[in-house]
Amino acid sequence: MHQKIFSLQNYILIILLFLSGFCSYSQQEDLLEELKNTIAEAPQYDTLKLNQIDSLRQELQKTSPEELEDRYRLNHQLLQEFKVFNQDSAFVYGLQSRELAEQLDSLPLIAEAVVDLADVSVAAGMYKETLDYLDILDPQEIP
Protein backbone atom coordinates (compact mmCIF):
# COMPACT_ATOMS: atom_id res chain seq x y z
CA MET A 1 0.00 0.00 0.00
CA HIS A 2 2.83 2.35 0.85
CA GLN A 3 4.30 1.79 -2.62
CA LYS A 4 0.95 2.58 -4.29
CA ILE A 5 0.69 5.89 -2.43
CA PHE A 6 4.26 6.70 -3.35
CA SER A 7 3.56 5.85 -6.97
CA LEU A 8 0.37 7.88 -6.93
CA GLN A 9 2.24 10.86 -5.49
CA ASN A 10 4.91 10.52 -8.19
CA TYR A 11 2.19 10.27 -10.83
CA ILE A 12 0.50 13.44 -9.56
CA LEU A 13 3.85 15.23 -9.39
CA ILE A 14 4.66 14.27 -12.97
CA ILE A 15 1.27 15.53 -14.16
CA LEU A 16 1.74 18.82 -12.30
CA LEU A 17 5.22 19.28 -13.76
CA PHE A 18 3.89 18.51 -17.23
CA LEU A 19 1.05 21.01 -16.85
CA SER A 20 3.35 23.70 -15.48
CA GLY A 21 5.66 23.14 -18.45
CA PHE A 22 2.70 23.42 -20.78
CA CYS A 23 1.60 26.67 -19.11
CA SER A 24 5.13 27.98 -19.31
CA TYR A 25 5.26 27.07 -23.00
CA SER A 26 1.94 28.83 -23.56
CA GLN A 27 3.24 31.94 -21.80
CA GLN A 28 6.38 31.85 -23.93
CA GLU A 29 4.25 31.63 -27.06
CA ASP A 30 2.22 34.65 -25.90
CA LEU A 31 5.39 36.64 -25.20
CA LEU A 32 6.84 35.65 -28.56
CA GLU A 33 3.67 36.79 -30.31
CA GLU A 34 3.77 40.10 -28.43
CA LEU A 35 7.42 40.55 -29.45
CA LYS A 36 6.59 39.85 -33.09
CA ASN A 37 3.79 42.43 -32.98
CA THR A 38 6.06 45.03 -31.38
CA ILE A 39 8.74 44.44 -34.02
CA ALA A 40 6.12 44.78 -36.75
CA GLU A 41 5.19 48.18 -35.26
CA ALA A 42 8.81 49.39 -35.27
CA PRO A 43 8.26 51.82 -38.18
CA GLN A 44 5.54 53.56 -36.13
CA TYR A 45 7.92 53.93 -33.20
CA ASP A 46 10.61 55.27 -35.53
CA THR A 47 8.18 57.82 -36.95
CA LEU A 48 7.26 59.02 -33.46
CA LYS A 49 10.95 59.32 -32.54
CA LEU A 50 11.78 61.21 -35.75
CA ASN A 51 8.87 63.58 -35.21
CA GLN A 52 10.09 64.35 -31.69
CA ILE A 53 13.61 64.92 -33.02
CA ASP A 54 12.37 67.19 -35.80
CA SER A 55 10.34 69.19 -33.30
CA LEU A 56 13.38 69.70 -31.06
CA ARG A 57 15.58 70.63 -34.03
CA GLN A 58 13.07 73.22 -35.19
CA GLU A 59 12.91 74.68 -31.71
CA LEU A 60 16.71 74.80 -31.58
CA GLN A 61 16.85 76.60 -34.95
CA LYS A 62 14.40 79.21 -33.67
CA THR A 63 16.41 79.79 -30.50
CA SER A 64 18.68 82.81 -30.53
CA PRO A 65 22.45 82.13 -30.25
CA GLU A 66 22.46 84.37 -27.17
CA GLU A 67 20.01 82.10 -25.33
CA LEU A 68 22.73 79.73 -24.18
CA GLU A 69 20.72 77.98 -21.46
CA ASP A 70 17.84 77.22 -23.83
CA ARG A 71 20.27 76.01 -26.48
CA TYR A 72 21.98 73.80 -23.91
CA ARG A 73 18.65 72.32 -22.81
CA LEU A 74 17.60 71.57 -26.39
CA ASN A 75 20.97 70.05 -27.29
CA HIS A 76 20.78 67.90 -24.18
CA GLN A 77 17.26 66.75 -25.11
CA LEU A 78 18.41 65.93 -28.64
CA LEU A 79 21.31 63.93 -27.26
CA GLN A 80 18.86 61.96 -25.11
CA GLU A 81 16.59 61.32 -28.10
CA PHE A 82 19.49 60.14 -30.26
CA LYS A 83 21.32 58.13 -27.59
CA VAL A 84 19.80 54.76 -28.51
CA PHE A 85 18.66 55.80 -31.98
CA ASN A 86 21.81 57.22 -33.59
CA GLN A 87 24.97 57.42 -31.49
CA ASP A 88 26.89 59.59 -33.97
CA SER A 89 24.24 62.30 -33.76
CA ALA A 90 24.03 61.89 -29.99
CA PHE A 91 27.77 62.47 -29.80
CA VAL A 92 27.53 65.65 -31.91
CA TYR A 93 24.81 67.05 -29.66
CA GLY A 94 26.86 66.03 -26.63
CA LEU A 95 29.84 68.01 -27.90
CA GLN A 96 27.62 71.01 -28.56
CA SER A 97 26.12 70.70 -25.07
CA ARG A 98 29.56 70.65 -23.54
CA GLU A 99 30.60 73.74 -25.51
CA LEU A 100 27.46 75.60 -24.42
CA ALA A 101 27.98 74.54 -20.78
CA GLU A 102 31.53 75.92 -20.94
CA GLN A 103 30.26 79.20 -22.41
CA LEU A 104 27.77 79.37 -19.54
CA ASP A 105 30.66 78.63 -17.16
CA SER A 106 28.37 76.22 -15.31
CA LEU A 107 30.21 73.41 -13.57
CA PRO A 108 27.06 71.28 -13.07
CA LEU A 109 26.16 71.58 -16.76
CA ILE A 110 29.74 70.84 -17.82
CA ALA A 111 29.70 67.73 -15.62
CA GLU A 112 26.35 66.67 -17.06
CA ALA A 113 27.60 67.13 -20.63
CA VAL A 114 30.82 65.22 -19.95
CA VAL A 115 28.93 62.34 -18.32
CA ASP A 116 26.58 62.29 -21.33
CA LEU A 117 29.58 62.08 -23.68
CA ALA A 118 31.02 59.24 -21.58
CA ASP A 119 27.66 57.47 -21.68
CA VAL A 120 27.44 57.69 -25.47
CA SER A 121 31.07 56.59 -25.76
CA VAL A 122 30.59 53.49 -23.62
CA ALA A 123 27.44 52.56 -25.54
CA ALA A 124 29.49 52.75 -28.74
CA GLY A 125 32.20 50.55 -27.24
CA MET A 126 34.70 53.42 -27.01
CA TYR A 127 35.94 52.54 -23.53
CA LYS A 128 39.21 54.51 -23.63
CA GLU A 129 37.34 57.66 -24.66
CA THR A 130 34.84 57.02 -21.87
CA LEU A 131 37.66 56.96 -19.32
CA ASP A 132 39.21 60.07 -20.88
CA TYR A 133 35.94 61.96 -20.44
CA LEU A 134 35.49 60.79 -16.89
CA ASP A 135 39.08 61.79 -16.06
CA ILE A 136 38.15 65.38 -16.93
CA LEU A 137 35.77 65.52 -13.98
CA ASP A 138 36.91 66.18 -10.45
CA PRO A 139 34.10 65.01 -8.15
CA GLN A 140 35.33 67.41 -5.45
CA GLU A 141 34.62 70.41 -7.70
CA ILE A 142 31.09 69.43 -8.72
CA PRO A 143 28.44 71.03 -6.50
Side-chain angles (χ1 to χ4, degrees):
M1 171 110 166
H2 185 56
Q3 277 185 326
K4 286 185 179 182
I5 293 174
F6 184 70
S7 297
L8 183 60
Q9 288 174 341
N10 283 343
Y11 181 71
I12 292 172
L13 182 61
I14 289 171
I15 290 174
L16 289 174
L17 288 173
F18 175 76
L19 290 175
S20 69
F22 179 74
C23 291
S24 177
Y25 178 77
S26 176
Q27 289 173 340
Q28 288 176 353
E29 287 295 315
D30 291 344
L31 288 174
L32 185 58
E33 188 63 31
E34 185 178 340
L35 178 61
K36 287 179 184 178
N37 291 337
T38 301
I39 290 171
E41 295 171 355
Q44 294 171 349
Y45 296 127
D46 288 348
T47 300
L48 289 172
K49 177 67 82 174
L50 290 171
N51 287 341
Q52 176 66 22
I53 288 169
D54 285 342
S55 174
L56 289 169
R57 281 181 168 164
Q58 289 174 11
E59 192 175 341
L60 181 60
Q61 287 177 348
K62 293 176 185 176
T63 305
S64 164
E66 291 81 30
E67 297 176 71
L68 297 177
E69 288 180 15
D70 290 338
R71 296 184 71 75
Y72 174 85
R73 180 184 52 79
L74 290 165
N75 271 282
H76 180 74
Q77 287 177 320
L78 282 160
L79 175 142
Q80 296 302 318
E81 290 295 326
F82 274 117
K83 199 176 344 185
V84 294
F85 196 67
N86 182 329
Q87 292 173 343
D88 290 340
S89 294
F91 196 75
V92 168
Y93 285 107
L95 290 172
Q96 290 175 3
S97 294
R98 181 177 170 197
E99 184 178 316
L100 289 164
E102 288 173 352
Q103 289 175 15
L104 288 163
D105 197 27
S106 169
L107 205 50
L109 293 182
I110 292 169
E112 180 179 57
V114 168
V115 168
D116 283 341
L117 286 167
D119 189 27
V120 172
S121 295
V122 79
M126 301 176 0
Y127 303 113
K128 183 197 177 310
E129 290 80 359
T130 300
L131 292 174
D132 291 343
Y133 281 118
L134 294 177
D135 281 343
I136 292 171
L137 298 177
D138 181 1
Q140 304 297 333
E141 293 180 10
I142 301 171

